[in-house]
Amino acid sequence: MGELTITHFLVLGALLFSVGVLCVTLRRNAIGVLIGIEIMLNACNINLVAFSRYTGDIDGAVYAVFVVMLAAAEAAVALAIVLHIFHHAASISVDDYTEMKG
Amino acid sequence: METGPLLAVVCLFMPMLSALLIAVLGGRMPKICDLIGIGTMGVSLLCAIVLGLGHATYGAQTWEFTWITMDVGWVTSEPLSWTLGITVDGLTTALLLVVTLVSFLVHLFSKGYMHGDDRYVDFYRWLGLFTFSMLGLILSDNLLTLFVFWEVMGLASYKLIGHYFFKQSAFMACKKAFMTTRVGDIGMFLALLAIYLYTDSLQFKEIFANLDMIPVGAQFWIAMGLFMGAAGKSAQFPLHIWLPDAMEGPTPVSALIHAATMVAAGVYLVGRMYTLIVLSPGALVIISIIGCFTALMAASIAFTRTDIKQVLAYSTVSQLGFMFTALGVGSNIAWKAGLFHLATHAMFKACLFLGSGSVIHGCHHLQDMTKMGGLRKKMPITAMTYLVACLAIAGFPFTAGFWSKDMILQALWAGNGHFDDVYKIIYVVLALAAAMTAAYMFRSYFLTFEGKPRDQHVHDHAHESPWTMTTGLIVLATMAIAAGYKWHDALLPNSPGGLEGVLSPIATFAKTFVIHGEGNEVAHHAHTIALYTSLTVAFGGMILAGVWYMTAFGVGLRQKMRAMIGPLYGWASGKFFIDEFVQMVFINTSIFFAELTSWIDSALLDGFVDGTGSVTMKTGAASGVADDAIVDGAVTLAGNSAWWGGALLGRFQSGRIRNYLFGAVASVALFAVVMLYIVAR
């Protein structure tokens, strides 16, 4: 086992992001989609913190805190939207909601 | 203005005034149009009589006015001016009297004859215009206005012949009269052009002053051209065919136009241009031959007619032939004889025509002489006047016709020094024609008025005409005798100087037309021979007619004589087939050419035009198809492809956010891969 380097963190971030993307695109459940978004945001946070540690600058960590706060707000708004959709269409499957069809 | 021309101008314009007044008032007051016509003609007649009585004072006056002045500075420095005017001389005065007298009496006669006619007003209007043009023709002092009046007269004549235009025959007759005279007018017009070309003027006095400017060769053709116009108007062979047909007009019109005035216009023209015409002895002899031939031919046709007006029509053609025969001699006496006969003929022929009108009126529009007979007791005045006029035309001694016919024969016998042998032959033929005249005129008198009634019904219903009609008959019958004395010193028929007496307005106008000196001895000799000849033919003809129609063996004699002359009677009865000849040769040829050109027009020209049209239509149709297929197709295709494209692309708009996101991620991934690939290189 070698020393833990920034590469490991970046790979972890990338893998997490990919998982998030797949979750967003493949899940039909709106809650699942929101979870995927949270995963992607946290993948970004890992990168931010990793780079902050790597450069010895505090800015990245500060951004990460902001992102966490933003994620909380976003989750609140998004869950409200999902609730509204559920009332409207009696379903939380994103495939049932195709109002934007051309 | 002098008194003479003033009277002439009043005389000229009164009939025009009549025509205008009737045209304006006739619609509202149809009752008074006859009074307007008769009144104005009365004034005209008075003017003419005053002119005639005062001839010695008024003689040979002219009144001129400048009609138009043209600045032709590029040719001469003097402006070119056209002077028109009227001239009053012996010839004019004499003819003015004849025309106004006959016209006045015809106006009066028509009041009775045309009573109750539907187109009474129109009739008087055209009668006025006709008289105006005839007077204008006589008074013109130049060939230009003469020609204008000549044509206006043709128009008025056309309207009057066609008065009963709803009858096919009358309609055809007026057309024929107009067209036939038009043929003659071509010659006259060419002659006018030639005269103007050579003498630079159409005024009589200028022409006669510049006669030496006309080359000798042209003199003949000008004379023939003028004669051609005269032959058309005065019904000379072969242009005589219109006159008998023109009898379709009302009888007063026949009396005015086709006996006394219009047909005299041709004779007047030759008489007026005599100074020019005598320059060519060749033209003179042709005029004489044609006149003589016409006289004989028409006289022979007159024997075969049973329609009373047709007899008079052919008689008119024949008598006009007499006048031209005389004028064709070219001597001073011949000129006087021709125009003298014109005046006397106008009187007795108008009397005969009005007499026939009275008979037709009295017999309720019957014209066939074979149904008449014995009418003398029913219509004594008409019969008496008709008899007097018959005596005059036959040349009975001391009637007007006797003096004038005698003078014609005398002129022919004397000759002019050229072609005297020809004139001797013409003399014999014309004497024969004169005998025939006496015979056929008395044939018509006997058939109409004497013998037993051949149709009792007609006879029972016949009646004498009203005073408006008989007045004219009496006046004209008087003139048929008196006219000879007015122009002729009857008391001294054998005196060489008698004809030059001042009693004659014509004589005072007389110039020396003699080509060849004519001694008194020759004239005297000619006069004696002519006197015996005319007496012989007059009595011969009258006795022959009397034997034929008034004696018991007349019928058999007529049949024997008819057999003797063989096919001649048939030919004369068929009017020598001149109408048929004209129909076949000229009219059918014209119709053939008309049809040919019509065919060319319809087949070739129309075909060409139609072809152009159809090519245009086909091109249009083709371009329409091209428009639909190509242009519209392109536009539709553009629209459709947008539609199809939209439909195709719309498929991608599934509305599923997952798909969109997947697309976005996939695109970014692809972009990243490409970028990496590029960077890695």
Side-chain angles (χ1 to χ4, degrees):
Chain A
M1 279 296 282
E3 197 179 341
L4 199 61
T5 63
I6 192 166
T7 311
H8 298 94
F9 293 97
L10 291 183
V11 169
L12 173 71
L15 286 173
L16 255 181
F17 192 82
S18 302
V19 168
V21 166
L22 286 173
C23 185
V24 167
T25 56
L26 298 179
R27 297 287 295 197
R28 286 178 187 156
N29 193 316
I31 306 295
V33 172
L34 287 177
I35 291 168
I37 291 169
E38 293 304 320
I39 292 169
M40 284 195 292
L41 285 171
N42 284 310
C44 294
N45 279 351
I46 288 169
N47 277 19
L48 283 168
V49 172
F51 278 115
S52 174
R53 183 67 183 173
Y54 178 70
T55 57
D57 190 355
I58 197 85
D59 288 356
V62 174
Y63 268 113
V65 175
F66 272 112
V67 170
V68 169
M69 189 185 70
L70 195 81
E74 179 256 325
V77 173
L79 278 171
I81 291 171
V82 169
L83 256 178
H84 205 79
I85 288 173
F86 180 73
H87 277 295
H88 191 69
S91 161
I92 53 167
S93 168
V94 292
D95 285 0
D96 289 343
Y97 208 76
T98 56
E99 292 294 308
M100 282 168 71
K101 182 173 179 174
Chain B
M1 200 191 291
E2 304 281 335
T3 320
L6 182 68
L7 282 169
V9 167
V10 173
C11 183
L12 168 62
F13 282 100
M14 284 317 274
M16 183 76 219
L17 182 72
S18 156
L20 282 176
L21 275 180
I22 293 171
V24 174
L25 300 175
R28 254 166 284 160
M29 292 179 266
K31 299 276 178 204
I32 62 158
C33 65
D34 47 2
L35 296 179
I36 294 174
I38 294 166
T40 49
M41 275 320 298
V43 176
S44 267
L45 178 60
L46 276 178
C47 291
I49 289 172
V50 173
L51 267 178
L53 291 177
H55 175 71
T57 329
Y58 302 136
Q61 285 181 346
T62 48
W63 171 62
E64 285 175 343
F65 63 96
T66 305
W67 177 49
I68 191 168
T69 307
M70 277 189 295
D71 185 11
V72 282
W74 63 91
V75 182
T76 57
S77 54
E78 300 246 325
L80 179 72
S81 64
W82 277 82
T83 309
L84 300 183
I86 60 168
T87 183
V88 183
D89 56 27
L91 181 58
T92 307
T93 313
L95 284 178
L96 272 187
L97 269 169
V98 170
V99 172
T100 51
L101 178 64
V102 174
S103 182
F104 173 72
L105 293 174
V106 164
H107 273 75
L108 188 64
F109 186 89
S110 303
K111 186 172 159 55
Y113 188 84
M114 299 299 286
H115 182 75
D117 191 272
D118 286 342
R119 299 178 60 240
Y120 193 65
V121 176
D122 284 350
F123 178 80
Y124 269 99
R125 199 177 64 205
W126 286 107
L127 219 52
L129 187 71
F130 172 83
T131 313
F132 167 66
S133 51
M134 184 70 205
L135 293 174
L137 185 143
I138 294 168
L139 285 167
S140 291
D141 78 335
N142 60 82
L143 279 171
L144 186 69
T145 47
L146 186 144
F147 189 65
V148 171
F149 282 117
W150 180 277
E151 295 296 343
V152 173
M153 200 159 66
L155 168 74
S157 157
Y158 170 85
K159 298 297 287 190
L160 286 169
I161 296 170
H163 184 74
Y164 302 122
F165 61 86
F166 40 82
K167 268 167 65 188
Q168 175 74 11
S169 53
F171 165 70
M172 294 303 284
C174 67
K175 201 166 72 176
K176 188 174 179 181
F178 200 74
M179 298 300 283
T180 314
T181 49
R182 195 59 61 261
V183 173
D185 292 349
I186 296 166
M188 180 172 168
F189 190 67
L190 291 176
L192 256 60
L193 289 182
I195 289 171
Y196 188 73
L197 185 71
Y198 290 122
T199 64
D200 248 359
S201 174
L202 285 175
Q203 282 197 290
F204 294 132
K205 60 176 183 191
E206 301 271 327
I207 296 170
F208 297 148
N210 296 321
L211 279 180
D212 50 348
M213 290 165 77
I214 303 175
V216 177
Q219 286 166 357
F220 173 78
W221 293 109
I222 289 174
M224 286 323 288
L226 289 173
F227 176 62
M228 193 172 154
K233 260 308 188 247
S234 291
Q236 292 303 290
F237 176 85
L239 298 176
H240 68 279
I241 49 174
W242 65 270
L243 203 145
D245 285 26
M247 294 303 126
E248 287 293 340
T251 310
V253 168
S254 307
L256 177 63
I257 300 184
H258 309 119
T261 54
M262 190 179 92
V263 289
V267 182
Y268 168 77
L269 176 71
V270 171
R272 181 56 90 183
M273 300 304 291
Y274 214 49
T275 323
L276 171 60
I277 289 170
V278 289
L279 293 176
S280 169
L284 282 174
V285 79
I286 288 174
I287 291 173
S288 216
I289 288 170
I290 289 181
C292 172
F293 178 73
T294 310
L296 185 68
M297 177 203 67
S300 59
I301 296 175
F303 273 109
T304 64
R305 302 292 104 185
T306 55
D307 183 321
I308 185 166
K309 278 181 76 182
Q310 287 283 316
V311 174
L312 296 176
Y314 279 105
S315 160
T316 306
V317 174
S318 174
Q319 294 299 307
L320 289 164
F322 275 70
M323 297 170 208
F324 278 110
T325 313
L327 288 174
V329 177
S331 62
N332 201 356
I333 183 172
W335 183 82
K336 272 183 277 176
L339 292 165
F340 181 33
H341 195 59
L342 167 63
T344 58
H345 170 257
M347 295 304 159
F348 54 67
K349 187 51 66 66
C351 182
L352 287 170
F353 262 112
L354 291 185
S356 79
S358 177
V359 170
I360 292 165
H361 187 74
C363 293
H364 304 281
H365 295 275
L366 177 80
Q367 304 195 0
D368 192 353
M369 289 191 298
T370 56
K371 293 206 176 85
M372 297 173 185
L375 288 173
R376 182 160 57 89
K377 290 188 187 65
K378 290 277 186 173
M379 341 173 104
I381 301 174
T382 308
M384 272 310 292
T385 51
Y386 197 91
L387 177 63
V388 170
C390 270
L391 287 171
I393 194 172
F396 191 83
F398 309 112
T399 60
F402 168 72
W403 302 119
S404 56
K405 214 170 271 186
D406 180 52
M407 208 156 143
I408 290 174
L409 290 174
Q410 185 191 344
L412 274 172
W413 188 261
N416 65 10
H418 299 79
F419 309 111
D420 271 354
D421 296 338
V422 181
Y423 287 119
K424 291 286 191 299
I425 297 167
I426 291 172
Y427 177 90
V428 175
V429 176
L430 205 68
L432 178 64
M436 287 163 78
T437 306
Y440 71 70
M441 282 319 298
F442 272 87
R443 168 178 175 267
S444 82
Y445 172 75
F446 289 140
L447 279 176
T448 309
F449 295 105
E450 300 294 339
K452 286 198 174 60
R454 278 178 295 278
D455 190 325
Q456 198 58 43
H457 177 77
V458 170
H459 189 260
D460 288 347
H461 289 82
H463 59 81
E464 182 60 284
S465 302
W467 69 269
T468 47
M469 293 165 77
T470 49
T471 307
L473 293 176
I474 293 165
V475 172
L476 285 171
T478 316
M479 286 305 287
I481 294 168
Y485 295 90
K486 180 151 188 61
W487 282 279
H488 185 71
D489 191 355
L491 295 173
L492 296 166
N494 284 318
S495 154
L499 294 163
E500 311 290 341
V502 286
L503 282 174
S504 160
I506 291 177
T508 54
F509 178 70
K511 296 175 186 167
T512 308
F513 293 119
V514 192
I515 304 173
H516 183 261
E518 167 195 342
N520 278 346
E521 199 180 333
V522 181
H524 187 84
H525 179 60
H527 205 156
T528 315
I529 290 175
L531 183 66
Y532 290 132
T533 314
S534 58
L535 283 174
T536 314
V537 296
F539 283 103
M542 285 188 283
I543 290 166
L544 190 62
V547 171
W548 276 348
Y549 291 97
M550 297 305 287
T551 60
F553 55 91
V555 181
L557 184 67
R558 267 184 286 162
Q559 276 165 357
K560 250 184 244 166
M561 285 180 82
R562 227 177 256 187
M564 226 162 68
I565 58 171
L568 263 176
Y569 184 84
W571 294 351
S573 171
K575 306 179 221 169
F576 295 103
F577 310 108
I578 296 162
D579 280 299
E580 283 75 7
F581 178 77
V582 169
Q583 176 73 36
M584 202 170 68
V585 176
F586 295 107
I587 299 178
N588 286 359
T589 314
S590 324
I591 290 173
F592 171 75
F593 274 109
E595 278 173 357
L596 183 71
T597 47
S598 162
W599 178 81
I600 290 174
D601 200 37
S602 62
L604 298 183
L605 297 182
D606 272 21
F608 178 70
V609 174
D610 283 357
T612 317
S614 89
V615 166
T616 312
M617 273 177 67
K618 295 232 166 75
T619 317
S623 82
V625 169
D627 201 39
D628 280 356
I630 299 169
V631 179
D632 270 21
V635 172
T636 313
L637 186 68
N640 282 352
S641 49
W643 180 257
W644 293 330
L648 186 69
L649 293 174
R651 293 277 176 87
F652 295 103
Q653 302 290 317
S654 64
R656 291 177 182 168
I657 299 164
R658 294 193 299 122
N659 294 357
Y660 299 165
L661 196 59
F662 184 81
V665 170
S667 306
V668 171
L670 188 64
F671 182 69
V673 168
V674 170
M675 288 305 286
L676 282 172
Y677 177 74
I678 292 169
V679 171
R681 282 235 313 207

